[in-house]
Amino acid sequence: MGKGKGKGKQRKQIILPPELPPEIADDDIEVSDEDLQFVDENKDYAGFVSRLDTHSINKQVTRVEGVNEDALEALYEKRRRKTLEQKENEKSVVQVDPVDALPVKSLDGEVYYLSQTAEVTENEGDVDKSVVKLTKAERRAKLKKTKKEAKKMGKELAKTEEVQPTQQEAALAEVKEDLTAEEAFEAKKRKLAELGMALLADPEANIKSLKDILQFAKDGDHSIVKLGLLSLLAVFKDIIPGYRIRLPTEKELEMKVSKEVKKMRFYESTLLSAYKGYLQKLLALEKQPRFHHVVVRCICTLLDAVPHFNFRESLLVAVVRNIGSSDDVVRRICCSTIKSLFTSEGKHGGEATVEAVRLIADHVKVHDCQLHPDSVEVLMSLSFDDDLGKPEVQEGNNKMKNKKNKKRKNFEESNQPQGNDRKRSKQETIAKMKEEVAADYKAVSYTPDVEERKRMQSETLSAVFETYFRILRHTMQSSVASSEANGNITSGGSGAHPLLAPCLSGLGKFSHLIDMDYIGDLMNYLKRLAARGSSSDSSAQKVQNLTVSERLRCCIVAFKVMRGNLDALNVDLQDFFVQLYNLVLEFRPGRDEGEVLAEALKIMLCDDRQHDMQKAAAFIKRLATFALCFGSAESMAALVTLKQLLQRNVKCRNLLENDAGGGSVSGSIAKYQPYGSDPSLSGALASVLWELNLLSKHYHPAISTLASGISSMNSAQNQVYISISPQQAFKNLLLEAGSFEYNQQGGTQKSNKRKGRSTALASTLASVEPPPVDENEVSKKLRRHFILLWDIKENERLRGELDRTTSALQLYEEYKKQRKPATLKNKKSKKARTTVGM
């Protein structure tokens, strides 16, 4: 029994405390996203973790109750040796990772993993990584990596599965969007139409619909915005009353009024507020290029239709701002609106005309006269009443007559017995009613009284002439550098002075309305401008030269001003005749305007019947030279003027004679100076009109016939004056130029009718029947004409070569002369050297 007890005590096992887990670095610890999400969602339940005693947990227990320390030390030493042996065995054995192996369940229910061992020999340098046993951290990283790859593969599979359905769905979505957009567009159009029709049918009942239509002008669709603007334009044109709306004051609002007055006030205030919002929207959209045309059309239509209504100033500012636009469509619409405003003053009583003219004057001033010519040309549509004082005199006379008639009637009635009182009272009531109706009509009409019309006309005239004089002053003071700097501003203007031509045209039209105090300054301006560009212009301040057409217009305006104020002017126009005499030679058909030249010839030479004989002869000679050198239309205008001068100045017909001295009358100057600048000192009476002989062979039948008729004129007094003017002759020949060219190309059948027109014109001009035109003869004349021109050019070329050759020979002769003394000196020096050497 004792032995058994001793063996039981020896067999009792000592259980050692477990070892501490291996230390793992913080970087190796990986926490999954799911764990983090769980902790974040359940922070209230994880609070005990922060209260754990980590010091007690980390403390290792090394003692066992009832066991000696020496025995414990031996057991610990045995455990350490065992672990070392296991590590050495693990170095030579490779185990399969349980993650990669399938689990096996034993009969006891225990689950374990099969492991495959493989010894590592010294010859094998590497081991297959697929069978290497991984650490815990590596297994976690590998597991996380496989999960990410699985998610990525799942997303890729989902994308590949959704590729085809996505394309189909996108196409269907686009179709649905288009259908919905079209349906929405049609629905908005129907809504606009319904609101507009309701407003036009009953404006007072549906006046609130204006705000609903105005909301369509703020839509995101540009087409809907344009439709909304145009719909509001049509509505406002129809419902705006024929008077300006005046909103009631505070005192008037406090007064008790009837329901009809309240309804009318509400209607007018709503209409005015909606109209104001519409104008603000138009002015805001005007800056956007896509709406510019629509907005300008709406503004111009409103100003033309309702110029009497409120906010007219805003419309005028917008229209005047665009009259010089670079866009032809916008500029044309605005200019036509301003012209319509000037011609239809009955709609606004003339107040809008005054405001528009002031705005145009300010517009020209701000842009320094660098605008499109249409900006000032609109002022030509203005009309002024010259006899505003006469109606007052007539009304005064009518009143005096009425008073006398009433006195006479009362005197007769007092002498006669009293008649029927009822009849007399009836007549008095009818007369009173007529007077009341006339007074009411005058109050509501836009026709102001005479004094108001005078005031507005004087303000309009002052603004117009202020604009014209500013343009003239700018033309005088502008230099070449400033004109080039501002040249980019103009659009469609002519040169550096785009407004000069319409300014001169306006001065010519309204010259009879200019104040006498300013006419002297105006004539000086015109005289200086007409001299610009000529060789005689030697002013200290050099401005850019004007064109021939602009200088001719200055001469025309000077004559119009003189004739419009003939009773109060005593101006010497000799300088303008000198300028016209020089400008005839400077004229070029392709560069300058032929109509301006024809107008100058008519006004300055044909209409003026008092000419000095020397001056008339000089113009006759120069016009003949001009007709020989330029086109058919200009030549016809010159020949018509020449014939009229010959008919009025009988002594000048001696130029048609073929004597050596120019006939029996040669004047004080015995020699003709063709390049003289003064017509009175040219000595044209000493010459002969030999140009008419060449013009009688002109290729154009009308010109040749007219030249032959002028050559056959005699010195008799009974000559019939022709009624056609140079301007009319110029226009007629321009119209017939196409038919004549067609005739020259071979169209004989259709051109015979057109020939009749040119021959009829020639017969009217020459007062003789023209001979029939032969095509062969015309072609021969053309051939001779061009051969003559070719000979002249060839002669000029040969003369130039001859001059160059003679100059070269002269230089060579001079060179030889200078060379001879030098050669003689050299020979003498050589002889002297030889003598010295000997």
Side-chain angles (χ1 to χ4, degrees):
M1 292 296 291
K3 291 181 180 179
K5 289 180 181 178
K7 289 180 181 178
K9 289 181 180 179
Q10 291 178 354
R11 288 179 182 176
K12 187 178 179 180
Q13 294 183 356
I14 299 173
I15 300 173
L16 296 174
E19 294 183 352
L20 292 174
E23 294 183 359
I24 301 173
D26 295 337
D27 296 337
D28 295 337
I29 298 173
E30 294 183 2
V31 182
S32 64
D33 298 336
E34 297 175 355
D35 295 340
L36 289 174
Q37 184 179 359
F38 178 79
V39 173
D40 291 336
E41 292 176 356
N42 303 280
K43 288 183 179 180
D44 298 336
Y45 301 101
F48 71 95
V49 179
S50 61
R51 296 190 295 272
L52 292 175
D53 188 4
T54 56
H55 180 71
S56 301
I57 295 173
N58 294 331
K59 186 176 179 180
Q60 185 178 5
V61 180
T62 57
R63 295 181 181 182
V64 179
E65 186 179 359
V67 181
N68 193 5
E69 292 183 358
D70 295 335
L72 287 174
E73 186 67 26
L75 291 173
Y76 281 126
E77 184 68 24
K78 187 177 179 180
R79 182 190 287 180
R80 281 195 291 271
R81 275 192 256 114
K82 189 175 180 180
T83 54
L84 288 174
E85 289 177 359
Q86 288 179 356
K87 288 181 179 179
E88 289 178 357
N89 293 331
E90 286 178 356
K91 291 181 179 179
S92 59
V93 177
V94 178
Q95 292 183 356
V96 178
D97 191 3
V99 176
D100 299 331
L102 293 174
V104 177
K105 190 174 183 180
S106 63
L107 296 175
D108 299 335
E110 183 180 358
V111 178
Y112 63 93
Y113 292 90
L114 296 176
S115 62
Q116 182 181 0
T117 60
E119 295 183 358
V120 181
T121 61
E122 295 180 358
N123 296 331
E124 294 176 353
D126 297 325
V127 180
D128 190 3
K129 293 182 180 180
S130 62
V131 295
V132 175
K133 185 175 181 181
L134 302 176
T135 62
K136 188 175 182 180
E138 291 175 349
R139 286 199 301 272
R140 288 179 179 175
K142 188 174 181 180
L143 180 62
K144 189 173 183 180
K145 186 176 181 181
T146 53
K147 288 181 178 180
K148 288 183 178 179
E149 290 179 354
K151 288 182 179 179
K152 189 175 181 181
M153 291 294 293
K155 290 180 180 179
E156 290 179 356
L157 289 173
K159 287 181 180 180
T160 54
E161 291 176 357
E162 293 178 358
V163 168
Q164 294 180 354
T166 303
Q167 292 179 354
Q168 295 177 358
E169 290 176 359
L172 290 173
E174 290 179 359
V175 173
K176 288 181 180 179
E177 287 179 0
D178 294 339
L179 291 175
T180 53
E182 290 181 1
E183 291 176 357
F185 182 74
E186 293 296 330
K188 291 178 181 178
K189 283 174 64 176
R190 286 194 296 270
K191 184 66 175 178
L192 270 173
E194 291 174 0
L195 293 174
M197 293 299 292
L199 266 169
L200 294 176
D202 191 358
E204 294 182 358
N206 302 302
I207 192 64
K208 293 182 179 180
S209 301
L210 283 175
K211 296 182 179 179
D212 297 335
I213 300 178
L214 191 59
Q215 292 298 322
F216 284 96
K218 302 176 182 178
D219 196 84
D221 191 356
H222 301 325
S223 301
I224 294 296
V225 173
K226 293 179 181 179
L227 288 176
L229 295 177
L230 294 174
S231 301
L232 282 171
L233 173 65
V235 170
F236 281 125
K237 280 179 63 179
D238 190 77
I239 68 174
I240 283 178
Y243 55 89
R244 288 177 71 93
I245 294 177
R246 185 186 68 83
L247 296 178
T249 61
E250 295 181 358
K251 292 183 179 180
E252 292 176 350
L253 291 174
E254 293 175 357
M255 297 172 61
K256 293 182 179 181
V257 293
S258 61
K259 292 183 179 179
E260 294 181 356
V261 175
K262 288 182 179 180
K263 186 177 180 181
M264 180 57 67
R265 285 181 178 178
F266 175 76
Y267 171 77
E268 290 180 348
S269 61
T270 307
L271 174 63
L272 196 60
S273 62
Y275 186 68
K276 182 179 180 181
Y278 177 59
L279 292 185
Q280 290 175 350
K281 187 63 178 177
L282 287 176
L283 296 177
L285 293 176
E286 185 189 3
K287 301 176 183 179
Q288 301 182 17
R290 64 172 66 94
F291 299 114
H292 190 60
H293 280 209
V294 177
V295 169
V296 170
R297 190 176 296 278
C298 293
I299 291 174
C300 292
T301 306
L302 279 177
L303 183 60
D304 190 19
V306 287
H308 62 278
F309 198 59
N310 302 60
F311 309 112
R312 178 182 60 204
E313 295 79 8
S314 302
L315 296 175
L316 276 172
V317 169
V319 173
V320 172
R321 185 171 58 244
N322 290 301
I323 59 174
S325 174
S326 58
D327 193 340
D328 295 337
V329 178
V330 173
R331 187 178 65 253
R332 195 179 301 114
I333 294 172
C334 294
C335 291
S336 62
T337 303
I338 295 293
K339 291 179 181 178
S340 175
L341 198 69
F342 291 161
T343 55
S344 59
E345 291 187 352
K347 294 181 179 180
H348 50 82
E351 295 179 357
T353 300
V354 179
E355 295 174 3
V357 173
R358 286 177 181 171
L359 289 173
I360 291 172
D362 295 338
H363 190 59
V364 172
K365 181 180 178 181
V366 168
H367 288 83
D368 198 18
C369 302
Q370 296 296 318
L371 291 169
H372 196 277
D374 293 345
S375 304
V376 179
E377 193 176 357
V378 295
L379 299 177
M380 296 286 289
S381 301
L382 289 169
S383 59
F384 299 99
D385 190 0
D386 302 336
D387 303 325
L388 283 177
K390 292 182 180 180
E392 288 185 350
V393 178
Q394 292 177 1
E395 287 178 2
N397 295 333
N398 293 331
K399 288 180 180 179
M400 293 295 292
K401 291 180 180 179
N402 292 332
K403 286 181 180 180
K404 291 180 180 179
N405 293 331
K406 285 182 179 179
K407 288 181 180 179
R408 186 180 298 172
K409 188 175 182 180
N410 292 332
F411 179 74
E412 291 176 355
E413 288 179 354
S414 62
N415 294 332
Q416 293 178 359
Q418 292 184 356
N420 193 358
D421 295 337
R422 187 181 297 176
K423 185 176 181 181
R424 185 183 303 170
S425 62
K426 187 177 181 181
Q427 291 177 355
E428 290 177 357
T429 53
I430 291 173
K432 287 182 180 180
M433 288 177 64
K434 286 182 178 180
E435 290 178 359
E436 291 177 357
V437 170
D440 294 338
Y441 177 75
K442 186 177 181 180
V444 299
S445 65
Y446 295 105
T447 305
D449 57 359
V450 176
E451 294 297 330
E452 186 69 16
R453 289 172 60 193
K454 279 185 178 181
R455 183 191 62 80
M456 290 189 296
Q457 179 166 314
S458 63
E459 292 180 1
T460 305
L461 276 174
S462 63
V464 168
F465 286 121
E466 178 188 353
T467 304
Y468 287 159
F469 279 101
R470 177 175 285 111
I471 294 169
L472 291 178
R473 195 182 308 113
H474 177 268
T475 306
M476 292 294 300
Q477 296 176 355
S478 62
S479 60
V480 179
S482 64
S483 63
E484 289 178 356
N486 296 328
N488 297 328
I489 302 176
T490 61
S491 175
S494 56
H497 311 292
L499 301 182
L500 182 60
C503 168
L504 294 173
S505 301
L507 285 173
K509 181 178 180 181
F510 305 123
S511 59
H512 61 286
L513 299 172
I514 302 175
D515 192 357
M516 297 300 299
D517 297 334
Y518 302 106
I519 288 180
D521 297 334
L522 176 60
M523 296 298 288
N524 290 329
Y525 273 131
L526 295 174
K527 189 182 298 184
R528 293 172 61 186
L529 288 174
R532 296 295 178 187
S534 62
S535 58
S536 61
D537 181 20
S538 58
S539 59
Q541 186 181 6
K542 201 73 174 175
V543 301
Q544 188 175 9
N545 297 336
L546 301 183
T547 62
V548 173
S549 301
E550 291 171 343
R551 293 165 63 191
L552 285 171
R553 283 194 178 96
C554 293
C555 298
I556 293 169
V557 172
F559 272 77
K560 287 183 177 179
V561 171
M562 187 269 296
R563 286 172 187 167
N565 302 275
L566 189 59
D567 298 335
L569 278 181
N570 187 11
V571 181
D572 186 12
L573 300 175
Q574 179 62 26
D575 294 336
F576 295 101
F577 281 111
V578 172
Q579 295 302 326
L580 177 63
Y581 185 72
N582 295 320
L583 288 173
V584 169
L585 288 183
E586 296 179 16
F587 183 85
R588 297 294 179 271
R591 181 192 63 188
D592 304 317
E593 301 177 19
E595 295 180 357
V596 179
L597 177 62
E599 185 180 2
L601 294 176
K602 175 184 177 297
I603 292 175
M604 299 178 67
L605 297 178
C606 297
D607 294 348
D608 194 358
R609 298 179 179 271
Q610 297 178 359
H611 289 295
D612 182 40
M613 187 172 58
Q614 286 283 356
K615 183 170 64 177
F619 275 105
I620 289 170
K621 182 64 178 176
R622 182 144 293 186
L623 289 174
T625 306
F626 174 82
L628 189 63
C629 301
F630 295 110
S632 57
E634 291 83 1
S635 299
M636 180 60 73
L639 287 177
V640 168
T641 309
L642 185 150
K643 186 169 183 180
Q644 291 192 19
L645 290 175
L646 285 174
Q647 288 174 341
R648 291 173 184 170
N649 299 275
V650 181
K651 293 183 179 180
C652 293
R653 297 177 194 173
N654 294 301
L655 295 173
L656 300 172
E657 299 178 2
N658 293 325
D659 296 341
S664 59
V665 180
S666 60
S668 60
I669 302 173
K671 185 179 179 181
Y672 173 56
Q673 297 177 3
Y675 298 105
S677 59
D678 193 349
S680 301
L681 303 176
S682 63
L685 288 172
S687 63
V688 178
L689 290 177
W690 54 267
E691 294 88 355
L692 294 176
N693 188 18
L694 293 177
L695 288 171
S696 61
K697 301 175 183 179
H698 198 274
Y699 63 89
H700 200 286
I703 295 176
S704 61
T705 305
L706 181 58
S708 301
I710 294 172
S711 300
S712 62
M713 289 176 64
N714 53 22
S715 59
Q717 297 287 341
N718 53 355
Q719 292 291 328
V720 180
Y721 285 6
I722 58 176
S723 60
I724 191 169
S725 65
Q727 290 176 289
Q728 190 63 35
F730 180 82
K731 292 178 181 178
N732 290 342
L733 211 65
L734 280 181
L735 292 174
E736 294 172 3
S739 63
F740 179 74
E741 291 177 0
Y742 183 71
N743 182 19
Q744 292 298 320
Q745 293 175 0
T748 57
Q749 295 179 357
K750 294 183 180 180
S751 62
N752 287 331
K753 297 180 180 180
R754 298 178 181 176
K755 282 183 200 176
R757 299 178 184 175
S758 61
T759 53
L761 174 64
S763 63
T764 305
L765 296 173
S767 300
V768 294
E769 292 184 1
V773 180
D774 188 4
E775 294 181 3
N776 296 327
E777 185 178 356
V778 172
S779 61
K780 289 178 182 179
K781 288 181 180 180
L782 283 170
R783 194 178 296 110
R784 286 198 300 268
H785 180 74
F786 289 111
I787 287 172
L788 178 62
L789 291 177
W790 184 83
D791 290 340
I792 292 172
K793 291 183 179 179
E794 187 67 19
N795 191 9
E796 290 178 355
R797 187 181 65 80
L798 293 175
R799 283 180 181 276
E801 291 181 358
L802 181 61
D803 293 338
R804 287 193 294 272
T805 305
T806 52
S807 61
L809 291 173
Q810 289 176 0
L811 288 173
Y812 182 70
E813 292 294 333
E814 291 178 359
Y815 174 76
K816 286 175 67 177
K817 289 179 182 179
Q818 293 176 359
R819 187 72 176 170
K820 282 181 181 181
T823 53
L824 291 174
K825 288 181 181 179
N826 292 332
K827 288 180 180 180
K828 289 179 181 180
S829 61
K830 285 181 181 179
K831 287 180 180 180
R833 289 174 186 171
T834 53
T835 54
V836 171
M838 292 175 64

